[in-house]
């Protein structure tokens, strides 16, 4: 890497970190699911027409929304129900023909999906969200109802609504999906918004608490919070806001791990440190503390030279691995990889802490290795792409998994090399910049990728890159045949 390129990279990194200070709530993209809920629950909110337009604009040719392989079921349910609700209310400005056409196309694809064998991905609260949306859709349609998937029932949903309606304290993790409680959520006596006015760090949950039957007072803090969110995004809304510690931890840890020089404001470091309490830190106000956000924040602090004792993570321990939050149904390899990062980097910076954390580091590394797929990859409930889980696990094992993890890391790198697309990108369904970044990090930031048939290092003047052996040549998206994965500048 030339000096000019290094300076340009540093400038871009500094600009990114500055943006974290300028937009502390987080920089996230709109969500079809969350936007559909606001169309249904909050027609009185500024930007209603813009949200309807967004749903119609993002509908796929087959009538669905979202990604393949079952990931489209929840957004398609939400968007379809939102459009049906607008039709039922006779939202004239939306254009009845446009609404009806989009809603009918959504209904057709949902009936096809839910009537046959359906393999839904492991996503938190999906067993509540799907029944709640199916029930709402069937309130709008006449004739043949949309079927509920055979493996699901309304029983658990009824229990949730009864608990919310009773006025008893509601578990924090339920607040993020409060909209499943339907009418019971409106001004529920056991729920109070955070000081900034949000419920569960979710626009949909906040709208559900405000209630859909009458326009809330403009001075209501929760109404003010929603108005601020829609102004930020021009109508459509993201699935979670604010996510201050979550975003800062992820951005800083990825930059610093890659060796990128970055100027981090001291107040940002202090804010991250202050966010970690005895039970960890949540991704956003109104959510429970979780092991993922806590781990990444701790890891970023250690990389910044301000290591913080990771003792709060013990609350998430479940046998030889760690849960995202206590009582989690299911497990996450990426969460455990991030806990391994947090423990490992802390011990690296504070060797005297090794006796306390070394046993857990060894158990975590073994647990992660045991869950590697035969092809060398990992998959995870927190991201649809295996490139995210693979990068998280391979990097953590490479840094802190010891000699026993060397073969696992090598297999991960080989899987990445074998799955590159002809145009040089990586991706589960198509090549994406995000997934390509995870793949390149797996190759550049692990030692196993550059040994035993993996990548070879080559230099020419000031340029350094990694290539595969000539026996593995394939067409790259260029005018020549190259040794993929092509040219990547070495980390500084």
């Amino acid at each position: 890497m030339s000096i000019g390129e290094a300076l340009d990279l540093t400038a871009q990194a500094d600009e990114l970190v500055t943006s974290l200070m300028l937009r502390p709530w987080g920089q996230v993209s709109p969500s079809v699911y969350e936007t559909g809920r606001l169309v249904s629950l909050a027609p009185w909110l500024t930007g209603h027409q813009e949200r309807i337009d967004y749903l119609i604009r993002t509908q796929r040719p087959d009538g669905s929304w979202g990604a393949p392989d079952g990931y489209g079921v929840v957004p398609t349910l939400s968007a379809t129900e939102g459009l049906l609700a607008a039709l039922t209310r006779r939202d004239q400005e939306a254009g009845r023909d446009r609404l009806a056409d989009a809603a009918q196309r959504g209904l057709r694809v949902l009936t096809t999906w839910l009537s046959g064998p359906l393999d839904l991905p492991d996503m938190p609260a999906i067993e509540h969200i799907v029944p709640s949306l199916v029930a709402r859709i069937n309130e709008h349609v006449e004739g043949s109802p949309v079927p509920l998937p055979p493996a699901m029932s309304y029983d658990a949903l009824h229990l949730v609504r009864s608990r919310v309606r009773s006025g008893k304290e509601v578990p924090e993790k339920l607040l993020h999906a409060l909209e499943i409680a339907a009418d019971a959520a409106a001004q529920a006596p056991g729920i109070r918004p955070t000081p900034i006015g949000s419920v569960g760090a979710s626009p949909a949950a906040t709208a559900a608490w405000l209630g859909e039957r009458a326009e809330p007072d403009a001075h209501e803090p929760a109404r003010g919070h929603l108005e601020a969110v829609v102004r930020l995004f021009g109508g459509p809304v993201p699935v979670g806001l604010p996510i201050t510690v979550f975003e800062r931890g992820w951005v800083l840890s990825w930059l610093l791990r890659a060796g990128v020089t970055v100027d981090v404001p001291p107040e940002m470091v202090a804010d991250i440190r202050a966010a970690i309490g005895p039970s960890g830190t949540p991704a956003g106000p109104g959510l429970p503390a979780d092991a993922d956000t806590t781990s990444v924040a701790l890891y970023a602090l250690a990389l910044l030279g301000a290591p913080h004792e990771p003792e709060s993570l013990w609350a998430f321990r479940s046998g030889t691995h760690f849960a995202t939050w206590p009582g989690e149904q299911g497990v996450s390899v990426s969460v455990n990889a991030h806990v391994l990062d947090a423990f490992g980097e802390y011990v690296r910076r504070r060797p005297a802490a090794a006796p306390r954390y070394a046993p857990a580091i060894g158990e975590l590394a073994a647990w992660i290795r045991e869950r590697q797929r035969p092809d060398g990859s990992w998959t995870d409930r927190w991201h649809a792409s295996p490139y995210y889980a693979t990068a998280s696990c391979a990097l953590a094992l490479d840094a802190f998994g010891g000699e026993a993890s060397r073969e696992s890391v090598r297999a991960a790198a080989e899987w990445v090399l074998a799955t590159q697309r002809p145009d040089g990108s990586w991706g589960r369904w198509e090549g994406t910049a995000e997934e390509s970044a995870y793949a390149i990090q797996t190759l550049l930031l692990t030692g196993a990728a550059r040994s035993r048939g993996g990548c070879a290092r080559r230099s020419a003047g000031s340029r350094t890159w990694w290539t595969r052996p000539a026996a593995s040549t394939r067409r790259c998206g260029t005018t020549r045949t190259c040794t993929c994965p092509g040219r990547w500048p070495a980390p500084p």
Side-chain angles (χ1 to χ4, degrees), residues 257-270:
R257 177 172 230 155
V260 177
T261 301
V262 61
D263 183 17
V264 182
E267 57 267 41
M268 184 181 293
V269 180

Side-chain angles (χ1 to χ4, degrees), residues 179-489:
E179 65 276 8
I180 67 174
D183 293 345
Q187 304 293 315
I191 297 170
R192 290 290 178 268
T194 65
I196 64 170
S198 73
V199 174
S202 161
T206 305
W209 184 83
L210 283 168
E212 61 186 279
R213 298 193 182 281
E215 181 173 343
D217 189 296
H219 300 291
E220 160 66 52
R223 166 72 183 267
H225 173 73
L226 284 182
E227 293 287 356
V229 173
V230 300
R231 283 198 301 271
L232 281 174
F233 295 89
V237 292
V239 77
L241 216 71
I243 54 166
T244 309
V245 178
F246 180 94
E247 182 180 64
R248 290 176 176 182
W250 254 260
V251 170
L252 293 177
S253 62
W254 282 114
L255 288 173
L256 296 166
R257 177 172 230 155
V260 177
T261 301
V262 61
D263 183 17
V264 182
E267 57 267 41
M268 184 181 293
V269 180
D271 286 346
I272 295 174
R273 190 162 188 155
I276 302 173
S279 60
T281 184
L287 290 172
D290 68 86
D292 211 18
T293 304
T294 304
S295 296
V296 175
L298 288 165
Y299 180 59
L301 286 173
L303 292 177
L304 287 164
H308 187 289
E309 178 80 36
E311 60 186 351
S312 59
L313 287 172
W314 293 122
F316 303 97
R317 191 165 192 179
S318 178
T320 57
H321 70 283
F322 288 71
T324 307
W325 52 73
E328 177 187 22
Q329 296 179 349
V331 295
S332 166
V333 292
S334 70
V335 168
N336 282 273
H338 297 145
V339 174
L340 178 57
D341 283 333
F343 282 168
E345 193 62 34
Y346 183 76
V347 169
R348 178 182 287 171
R349 306 281 174 149
R350 296 284 190 270
R356 185 176 187 190
Y357 297 105
I361 289 173
E363 290 176 349
L364 270 174
W367 187 90
I368 294 169
R369 291 195 301 267
E370 290 169 1
R371 278 147 188 82
Q372 189 173 26
R373 301 174 73 186
D375 63 5
S377 67
W378 282 269
T379 58
D380 192 63
R381 68 184 322 203
W382 291 116
H383 203 298
S385 173
Y387 293 98
Y388 169 77
T390 300
S392 297
C393 294
L395 268 61
L397 289 177
D398 185 68
F400 308 112
E403 185 65 27
S405 300
R406 187 177 300 278
E407 179 59 24
S408 289
V409 179
R410 186 203 64 78
E414 285 298 314
W415 174 78
V416 169
L417 289 168
T419 56
Q420 188 180 31
R421 293 176 175 271
D423 65 357
S425 68
W426 284 266
R428 174 172 176 172
W429 297 298
E430 61 183 1
T432 67
E434 180 189 355
E435 291 169 283
S436 297
Y438 295 138
I440 293 170
Q441 287 165 334
T442 302
L443 295 174
L444 289 185
L445 302 183
T446 63
R450 301 185 292 276
S451 64
R452 296 172 59 183
C455 295
R457 181 171 180 166
R458 303 189 177 186
S459 301
S462 63
R463 298 290 295 173
T464 303
W465 63 89
W466 307 102
T467 63
R468 284 200 74 182
S472 300
T473 57
R474 58 197 280 194
R475 178 64 60 181
C476 287
T478 62
T479 56
R480 60 184 174 80
T481 299
C482 63
T483 52
C484 281
R487 299 186 175 188
W488 304 312

Side-chain angles (χ1 to χ4, degrees), residues 110-111 114-115 134 138 145-149 154:
L110 284 170
T111 300
L114 300 179
S115 297
V134 168
N138 288 334
V146 173
L148 188 67
Y154 296 107

Side-chain angles (χ1 to χ4, degrees), residues 116-190:
L118 185 64
D119 185 18
L120 289 172
D122 175 23
M123 295 189 297
I126 193 171
E127 71 278 12
H128 301 309
I129 290 172
V130 170
S132 71
L133 290 174
V134 168
R136 290 186 74 103
I137 286 174
N138 288 334
E139 291 174 2
H140 298 302
V141 300
E142 296 179 0
S144 301
V146 173
L148 188 67
M152 294 185 176
S153 75
Y154 296 107
D155 295 344
L157 193 61
H158 294 325
L159 291 175
V160 167
R161 291 175 178 176
S162 177
R163 175 66 177 262
V164 172
R165 194 177 288 112
S166 72
K168 295 179 181 178
E169 185 179 357
V170 176
E172 273 190 301
K173 66 180 181 180
L174 174 61
L175 294 180
H176 188 62
L178 183 63
E179 65 276 8
I180 67 174
D183 293 345
Q187 304 293 315

